[in-house]
Amino acid sequence: LQKLIHLLQATDDQLIQEQALITLSNSAAFSVNQDIIRNLDGLSVIGGMLSSCVPKVKEKALNALNNLSMNIKNQEEIQVYIIQVCRTVESAPLNSDVQLAGLRLLTNMSVTSDYHQKMINSIPCFLHLLSEGTERIQIQVLKVLVNLSANPSMTRHLLRAQV
């Protein structure tokens, strides 16, 4: 895992970045690896890949963070990327794999109310995707909205959102 994280930092080759991210994502299926990746500063390395202009690299980074977000300690570090992920979902092409991967990560990050405030500005986007997205996008948006609606302090923001 350490070599993969180092490789991800050291290369500009998009195919290698994709493959390293896929491997890290698959490794994150095991809770012990989630801790190891965090302790090796892998979350910030993967988070740095969110700035990639290559959609496939961005998508794989979102998928890896999604798998890593199943761990509460990891969520504490991943939360710094929520606003960036929201912007990515808003700016990604409608119904793209990047948009779907971002929504999946936001679903996991919204299971508890800890980070809901960071998603407030994206509520209009979520509602737009609910009406314009494909079924896969709509289902994922609904999961985020259900999580947000479970928090009483989000009611006002959900009801006042301009659509």
Side-chain angles (χ1 to χ4, degrees):
L1 291 173
Q2 185 175 25
K3 289 182 190 243
L4 272 174
I5 292 167
H6 177 70
L7 178 64
L8 198 54
Q9 285 178 300
T11 187
D12 289 330
D13 185 314
Q14 299 162 5
L15 291 175
I16 293 174
Q17 288 174 339
E18 268 187 70
Q19 289 306 309
L21 287 165
I22 289 169
T23 305
L24 286 167
S25 182
N26 291 339
S27 298
F30 303 97
S31 56
V32 67
N33 290 343
Q34 293 172 3
D35 293 332
I36 292 169
I37 292 168
R38 181 185 64 253
N39 293 332
L40 293 170
D41 200 32
L43 297 175
S44 66
V45 173
I46 295 167
M49 296 285 109
L50 295 177
S51 300
S52 174
C53 347
V54 181
K56 282 289 182 193
V57 171
K58 193 177 289 197
E59 174 200 349
K60 303 308 182 209
L62 287 163
N63 288 337
L65 289 175
N66 181 45
N67 289 348
L68 288 160
S69 72
M70 302 306 286
N71 174 312
I72 295 295
K73 287 184 181 176
N74 286 354
Q75 280 191 2
E76 291 170 7
E77 290 190 31
I78 293 170
Q79 60 95 14
V80 301
Y81 301 107
I82 290 176
I83 292 172
Q84 183 179 1
V85 172
C86 287
R87 287 186 187 133
T88 297
V89 168
E90 292 175 32
S91 64
L94 183 63
N95 303 318
S96 65
D97 290 335
V98 169
Q99 196 171 56
L100 186 61
L103 288 167
R104 285 184 177 137
L105 175 56
L106 293 174
T107 299
N108 281 349
M109 294 301 293
S110 64
V111 168
T112 66
S113 61
D114 297 344
Y115 311 114
H116 287 180
Q117 293 297 319
K118 294 179 180 258
M119 299 181 202
I120 288 173
N121 292 334
S122 294
I123 292 172
C125 171
F126 299 152
L127 295 172
H128 171 73
L129 292 175
L130 192 56
S131 66
E132 298 296 322
T134 60
E135 186 176 325
R136 290 182 336 150
I137 294 289
Q138 290 173 337
I139 289 169
Q140 211 58 54
V141 168
L142 282 172
K143 289 178 181 183
V144 173
L145 290 171
V146 164
N147 289 345
L148 295 177
S149 70
N151 179 353
S153 70
M154 294 299 291
T155 304
R156 179 172 44 102
H157 301 288
L158 289 165
L159 294 176
R160 285 188 179 171
Q162 296 295 316
V163 183

